[in-house]
Amino acid sequence: MSKYSQLDSVRLLATLPHPCGYLPDEDATTVFVDPQTPIDQRLYSRLSELGFRRSGGYLYRPQCAACQACIPARVPVGLFVPDRRQRRCWRRNRDLDIFHVETIDTDEHYELYARYIERRHADGEMYPPSRDQFRSFLLQAWGATRYIEFRARGRLVAVAVTDLLTAGLSAIYTFFDPEEDKRSLGSYCILYQIEWARRLGLPSLYLGYWIEQCQKMAYKSQFQPIELLRENRWALKAR
């Protein structure tokens, strides 16, 4: 396939059509990199630029026969300017202590994850949560994964799982205390990762897929400007 011509040595596999987890009445097909393929940070980064996403130890990209609703999205760090709501969110969380840690395979981290899934995603594919699922989903991959803790007076309130790419950061997953609604922790964690990418001199924060018709994905378009990958070309989304 021409869109993968840069990576001819990478073997791609495809799932059978299955019900879409985002759009009702749609079938989805997923292309993923053969799990036997040796992956390093450089190859992972190139695949991210082509719109692939990581889940656990798998790199995948939607490739549906009748739908192209899943569009890869990333924030161009150098152009990003927080709006008034995002500036308020940043100030609201100035009291948090932030730590970059090597592992989140502890009871404290898992209990926060389980509460988040049970309260926020009981209708999703990750419900009910389990320790094995937690480990396989958020495991370290190819030496690229970093974990960020956010604590309020020592209490863990949020965790961001981020992959370090050669030309950006990839926001893999964030989970947080579902009772801390006023903090808008999901937005704050993205703002923190944008700022971290800026400090590292990296040009992009990858946010996964944006789906215009899916309310759960709407938050991504609030980080402006945002780039979308269409027809193998990254371009700024019109506001």
Side-chain angles (χ1 to χ4, degrees), residues 49-51 61 71-73 227-235:
E49 291 172 6
L50 290 172
R61 178 172 176 168
I71 304 173
E227 290 182 314
L228 302 178
L229 181 64
R230 289 190 171 108
E231 298 180 354
N232 301 320
R233 179 174 173 270
W234 288 98

Side-chain angles (χ1 to χ4, degrees), residues 45-99:
S45 299
R46 291 177 66 198
L47 287 163
S48 296
E49 291 172 6
L50 290 172
F52 280 78
R53 185 74 172 157
R54 179 173 79 81
S55 178
Y58 293 92
L59 283 166
Y60 71 94
R61 178 172 176 168
Q63 187 163 303
C64 306
C67 177
Q68 275 114 39
C70 295
I71 304 173
R74 69 186 185 187
V75 177
V77 169
L79 299 179
F80 174 74
V81 178
D83 62 21
R84 183 168 58 182
R85 181 186 301 176
Q86 290 161 347
R87 291 195 297 271
R88 286 200 302 264
C89 175
W90 187 265
R91 291 193 297 269
R92 194 181 303 128
N93 289 285
R94 284 182 300 185
D95 63 314
L96 295 182
D97 295 313
I98 301 170
F99 303 93

Side-chain angles (χ1 to χ4, degrees), residues 12 15 21 26 37 43 51-53 67 75 90 105 113 124 144 149 155 167 171 174 207 215 228:
L12 300 175
T15 66
E26 293 286 352
T37 302
L43 178 57
F52 280 78
R53 185 74 172 157
C67 177
V75 177
W90 187 265
D105 191 10
Y113 170 82
E149 293 181 341
R155 182 173 62 87
T174 296
L207 294 180
Q215 186 60 36
L228 302 178

